[in-house]
């Protein structure tokens, strides 16, 4: 068995090497591929790891230099060539960068979608690792026992936020996660000494509690194999996370355009001497009588045959280019049930979370202070007591870790509903949010990470300042693949939150701070099955002379302002920003001939601009006055109440704008 295994190692390593050489020497110079990130020098360590990942629930989170690992786990040379060539039949059907791969389990590990952002693979891997524990212990699914999550990265990626977020998650929870770090000495042209002190992340983490740290050569076959086997066995045994650092040479530049002029001839000669393939050749000769040159020729022929097959694959269908941004089904709408008790918005959110946790054992709720405390606003009060700390739990103070973890959990089949305490604090998670939104599209519908991220936003009843008062919905409206809800009352909040939780897309759910526990947003509870589809605006006040489009807390300011003109001002509450109800808004403006958009976000590039651009393009011939918008000047919200009131549109300012338009 040992001989057969090493022969397979050699064949896979040679396959990767020939793919790199053909791309570097032939395809890239001919302009047939746009990106080439050579794995020359990395083959041995990755192949040995891939062959050790035999559990059907192992999850591999790779990066752009992970092709030998992808080959060993199960992607074929034809599929990998197709990725670089941008052909149909590749892992993404031509959508994604040609060096980023994914693959559903084919009996062994799944390859989860590789990110383009350096270091952003680590926290999703921690989420997958936590999902392994959840499936095994909470859901009692024995088939998940012994599985592990692997985050594969280079030494440069250990500087990234995601690496440290995942390290803390995995170590504090003792998760089955392997940090597989290949140290080739450089991040593009920057030496490892500028990435981490003394250039050795393993030495620096040697005293990290509850993290098993190993390091070895990634070049010497028996040493590399022993280290990989020890690391995988340690994690599979449930002993906690492990970090394995393997030193390897990078025999090519960072990418095809990198000439490595920053390396001296001596450095390049030293790296060439550490090429793992000659070491593998000599080791294999000690085990069995293999004709290496014949094997090399045989593998080259197989690789060229795979290339010919990939070149024969069709180009992707242009008609499908925008498909898979969102799920193609949604939860069916239901009607509200009359007679429920009148409750506030935060209680409505809590009730939905409770009923959906009870209905779906895959549902998990987490974030900072959501457990024992019940959330800083009370939305998760008593939920941990009712459902346990495995399902409702507190996290470290890392928004990147919260969202990245949620991505990994969702990929592993759980239904995460994380909370971010305030809108401004989503900023550290921007990378994880962006990558999550693209997952379905990047993989041609093969992978997705549905989740609901709850975020309190906007003005508070008592306190305001630049960091707790942001709405910033336009930023997320521009974030591809995310739905965005912004309800103004408890009935809408209940229906939209339930639609989000039961749907298959990532959703940002905004809860306005000034409406959480105030009379305007209170409504009768619409029942435990009420579902309100996204993209349906509400005409909260009819009128025939002016259309006002708004959302969130501004709905009530607009209603107050419109009282001076009974029957004339139509107020539309969008309820959702992505998607927004273009048809209702267009129909109203075509009827009234005038339009005003009011929001709490800053004015420049606020979402009003998108609405007005649509109205100008599609209702221009119906207009009787210039389209207008009203928002916060391009300035943060001040702490002082008087300064704040000077910037945020109040009913008086809105009424003056209405008067101007009605008189035009």
């Amino acid at each position: 068995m040992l001989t057969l295994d090493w022969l397979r190692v050699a064949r896979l390593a040679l396959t990767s090497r020939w793919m790199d050489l053909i791309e570097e020497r032939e395809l890239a110079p001919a302009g047939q591929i746009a990106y080439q990130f050579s794995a020359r020098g990395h083959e041995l360590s990755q192949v040995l790891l891939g062959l050790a990942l035999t559990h059907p629930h192992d999850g591999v989170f790779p990066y752009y230099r992970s092709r030998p690992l992808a080959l060993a786990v199960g992607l074929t040379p034809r599929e990998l060539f197709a990725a670089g060539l941008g052909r149909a039949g590749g892992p993404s059907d031509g959508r994604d960068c040609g060096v980023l791969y994914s693959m559903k389990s084919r009996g062994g590990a799944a390859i989860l979608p590789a990110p383009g952002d350096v270091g952003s693979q680590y926290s999703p891997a921690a989420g997958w690792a936590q999902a392994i524990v959840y499936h095994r212990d909470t859901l009692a699914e024995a088939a998940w026992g012994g599985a592990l999550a692997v985050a594969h990265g280079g030494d440069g990626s250990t500087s990234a936020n995601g690496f440290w977020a995942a390290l803390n998650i995995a170590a504090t929870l003792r998760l089955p996660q392997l940090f597989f770090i290949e140290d080739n000495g450089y991040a593009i042209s920057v030496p490892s000494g500028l990435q981490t002190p003394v250039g050795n992340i393993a030495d620096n983490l040697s005293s990290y509690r509850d993290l098993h740290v190993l390091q070895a050569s990634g070049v010497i076959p028996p040493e590399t194999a022993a280290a990989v086997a020890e690391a995988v066995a340690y994690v599979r045994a449930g002993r906690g996370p492990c970090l394995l650092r393997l030193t390897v040479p990078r025999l090519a530049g960072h990418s095809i355009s990198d000439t490595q002029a920053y390396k001296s001839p001596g450095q390049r000669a030293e790296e060439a001497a550490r090429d793992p393939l000659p070491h593998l050749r000599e080791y294999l000769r000690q085990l069995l009588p293999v004709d290496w040159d014949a094997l090399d020729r045989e593998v080259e022929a197989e690789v060229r045959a795979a290339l010919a097959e990939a070149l024969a694959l069709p180009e992707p269908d242009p008609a499908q280019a925008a498909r898979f941004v969102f799920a193609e089904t949604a939860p069916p709408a239901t009607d509200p049930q009359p007679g429920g008790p009148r409750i506030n918005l935060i209680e409505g959110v809590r009730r939905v979370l409770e009923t959906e946790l009870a209905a779906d054992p895959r549902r998990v709720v987490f974030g900072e202070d959501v457990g024992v405390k019940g959330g800083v606003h009370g939305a998760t009060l008593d939920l941990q007591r009712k459902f346990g700390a495995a399902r409702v739990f507190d996290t470290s103070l890392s928004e990147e870790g919260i969202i990245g973890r949620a991505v990994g959990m969702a990929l592993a089949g759980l239904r995460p509903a994380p909370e971010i305490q305030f809108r401004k604090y989503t900023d550290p998670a921007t990378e994880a949010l962006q990558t999550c939104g693209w997952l379905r599209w990047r993989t041609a519908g093969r992978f997705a990470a549905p989740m609901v991220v709850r975020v309190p936003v906007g003005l508070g009843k008592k306190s305001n300042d630049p960091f707790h008062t942001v709405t910033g919905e336009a930023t997320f409206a521009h974030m591809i693949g995310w739905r965005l809800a912004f309800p103004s009352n408890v009935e809408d909040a209940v229906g939209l939150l339930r639609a989000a939780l039961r749907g298959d897309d990532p959703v940002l759910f905004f809860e306005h701070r000034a409406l959480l526990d105030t009379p305007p947003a209170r409504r009768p509870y619409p029942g435990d099955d009420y579902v309100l589809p996204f993209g349906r605006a509400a005409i909260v006040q009819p009128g025939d002379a002016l259309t006002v489009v708004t959302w969130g807390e501004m709905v009530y300011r607009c209603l107050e302002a419109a009282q001076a003109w009974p029957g004339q001002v139509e107020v539309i509450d969008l309820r959702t920003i992505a998607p927004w109800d273009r048809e209702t808004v267009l129909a109203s403006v075509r009827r009234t001939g005038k339009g005003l958009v009011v929001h709490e976000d800053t004015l420049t590039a606020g979402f009003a601009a998108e609405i007005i651009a649509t109205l100008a393009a599609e209702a221009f011939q119906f207009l009787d006055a210039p389209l207008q918008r009203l928002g916060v000047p391009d300035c943060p919200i001040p702490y002082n109440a008087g300064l704040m009131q000077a910037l945020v549109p109040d009913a008086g300012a809105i009424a003056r704008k209405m008067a101007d338009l009605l008189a035009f």
Side-chain angles (χ1 to χ4, degrees), residues 195-276:
Q195 306 295 335
T196 190
V198 305
N200 188 325
I201 190 65
D203 282 352
N204 293 331
L205 291 172
S206 60
S207 62
Y208 213 83
R209 289 290 303 273
D210 296 320
L211 176 71
H212 187 51
V213 178
L214 298 170
Q215 49 186 327
S217 165
V219 170
I220 308 302
E223 181 181 342
T224 308
V228 170
E230 180 182 348
V232 170
Y234 182 92
V235 180
R236 283 211 195 283
R239 300 172 66 185
C242 175
L243 182 141
L244 173 59
R245 171 184 174 263
L246 295 170
T247 54
V248 296
R250 194 186 74 194
L251 301 179
H254 168 72
S255 67
I256 194 66
S257 61
D258 178 10
T259 64
Q260 301 196 88
Y262 43 85
K263 292 182 181 178
S264 69
Q267 286 176 299
R268 298 180 72 168
E270 185 274 333
E271 288 186 327
R274 292 194 296 121
D275 185 341

Side-chain angles (χ1 to χ4, degrees), residues 199-499:
N200 188 325
I201 190 65
D203 282 352
N204 293 331
L205 291 172
S206 60
S207 62
Y208 213 83
R209 289 290 303 273
D210 296 320
L211 176 71
H212 187 51
V213 178
L214 298 170
Q215 49 186 327
S217 165
V219 170
I220 308 302
E223 181 181 342
T224 308
V228 170
E230 180 182 348
V232 170
Y234 182 92
V235 180
R236 283 211 195 283
R239 300 172 66 185
C242 175
L243 182 141
L244 173 59
R245 171 184 174 263
L246 295 170
T247 54
V248 296
R250 194 186 74 194
L251 301 179
H254 168 72
S255 67
I256 194 66
S257 61
D258 178 10
T259 64
Q260 301 196 88
Y262 43 85
K263 292 182 181 178
S264 69
Q267 286 176 299
R268 298 180 72 168
E270 185 274 333
E271 288 186 327
R274 292 194 296 121
D275 185 341
L277 262 60
H279 290 275
L280 179 58
R281 174 178 181 169
E282 293 306 312
Y283 184 67
L284 196 59
R285 281 179 173 173
Q286 298 171 25
L287 297 176
L288 62 148
V290 173
D291 185 337
W292 181 273
D293 292 335
L295 179 63
D296 187 43
R297 289 192 297 272
E298 181 182 334
V299 169
E300 181 190 1
E302 292 172 353
V303 169
R304 290 193 178 277
L307 173 60
E309 292 176 2
L311 287 167
L313 291 170
E315 297 286 341
D317 181 1
Q320 301 295 310
R323 190 183 175 192
F324 300 120
V325 172
F326 294 106
E328 296 179 345
T329 60
T334 61
D335 294 327
Q337 296 301 306
R342 188 175 177 84
I343 60 174
N344 60 27
L345 196 150
I346 202 67
E347 173 61 15
V349 167
R350 197 201 65 77
R351 288 194 184 195
V352 174
L353 292 174
E354 181 176 359
T355 57
E356 295 304 305
L357 280 163
D360 189 348
R362 300 172 302 155
R363 180 84 56 206
V364 288
V365 173
F366 54 92
E368 298 156 16
D369 301 308
V370 306
V372 176
K373 182 179 175 63
V376 294
H377 302 288
T380 57
L381 192 65
D382 268 352
L383 295 184
Q384 187 180 85
R385 182 183 61 80
K386 292 181 179 180
F387 297 99
R391 301 193 62 197
V392 181
F393 56 88
D394 292 319
T395 68
S396 53
L397 205 160
S398 169
E399 285 78 16
E400 200 286 343
I402 291 170
I403 301 302
R405 177 193 331 220
V407 170
M409 286 181 156
L411 287 168
L414 301 187
R415 304 287 288 184
E419 176 184 300
I420 302 295
Q421 286 189 346
F422 295 94
R423 160 63 185 86
K424 180 68 175 69
Y425 304 147
T426 61
D427 292 352
T430 299
E431 184 175 82
L433 290 164
Q434 288 276 15
T435 302
C436 174
W438 298 354
L439 276 177
R440 188 188 302 276
W441 179 87
R442 289 177 57 216
T443 62
R446 296 177 178 90
F447 290 90
M451 68 179 72
V452 180
V453 183
R454 295 179 35 257
V455 189
V457 303
L459 299 167
K461 291 188 298 181
K462 298 178 181 178
S463 62
N464 293 288
D465 63 82
F467 294 94
H468 295 83
T469 314
V470 179
T471 57
E473 61 271 15
T475 300
F476 294 116
H478 196 68
M479 198 171 281
I480 295 168
W482 282 89
R483 297 188 182 276
L484 173 56
F486 202 154
S488 67
N489 62 76
V490 65
E491 180 178 301
D492 292 350
V494 166
L496 290 169
L497 182 55
R498 186 167 287 113

